[in-house]
Amino acid sequence: TAANGVKIDLRFFLDFPNGAKRNDIVLPAERIYFATSCWLTTDERLQQAKTQLKMTEETFDKLKKELETMLDQQEKKNALEKATAMRPLV
């Protein structure tokens, strides 16, 4: 343990519905779990960590909304394309 410190456990996961590949690394199409711990030894460091967490959560929320907007637009585009698709008369 760190002397007079606060232990913070960090656990999160990322979903890879289509898997991922880069160079010679391949991730399967599934949920990947991560876990680690860190020690914060001062109140200042703890406050910095809380500030960073808040900024990270805000960025995540923004990106999530952007992704949802993009998916909605794609869905509407696909629906419009289906509705306006004309089959040639033979």
Side-chain angles (χ1 to χ4, degrees):
T1 65
N4 300 324
V6 177
K7 180 182 176 192
I8 306 294
D9 292 322
L10 175 63
R11 289 179 291 254
F12 64 97
F13 63 86
L14 297 174
D15 285 322
F16 293 90
N18 300 319
K21 181 178 180 182
R22 182 165 181 180
N23 299 330
D24 62 339
I25 303 298
V26 177
L27 297 176
E30 61 184 22
R31 181 170 284 176
I32 307 293
Y33 294 89
F34 300 86
T36 190
S37 296
C38 64
W39 292 91
L40 301 175
T41 55
T42 65
D43 289 338
E44 182 182 345
R45 294 281 187 203
L46 183 57
Q47 187 57 43
Q48 288 174 346
K50 288 179 180 180
T51 300
Q52 186 63 43
L53 175 61
K54 182 178 179 185
M55 290 172 41
T56 301
E57 289 172 337
E58 289 170 355
T59 300
F60 174 78
D61 289 341
K62 179 183 174 192
L63 291 172
K64 184 178 177 184
K65 287 177 184 175
E66 288 178 12
L67 178 60
E68 289 170 351
T69 299
M70 288 172 33
L71 291 174
D72 287 344
Q73 289 173 348
Q74 185 64 38
E75 190 174 303
K76 288 176 184 175
K77 180 181 174 186
N78 289 342
L80 182 61
E81 286 175 354
K82 289 176 186 175
T84 60
M86 297 174 49
R87 293 176 37 186
L89 298 174
V90 180

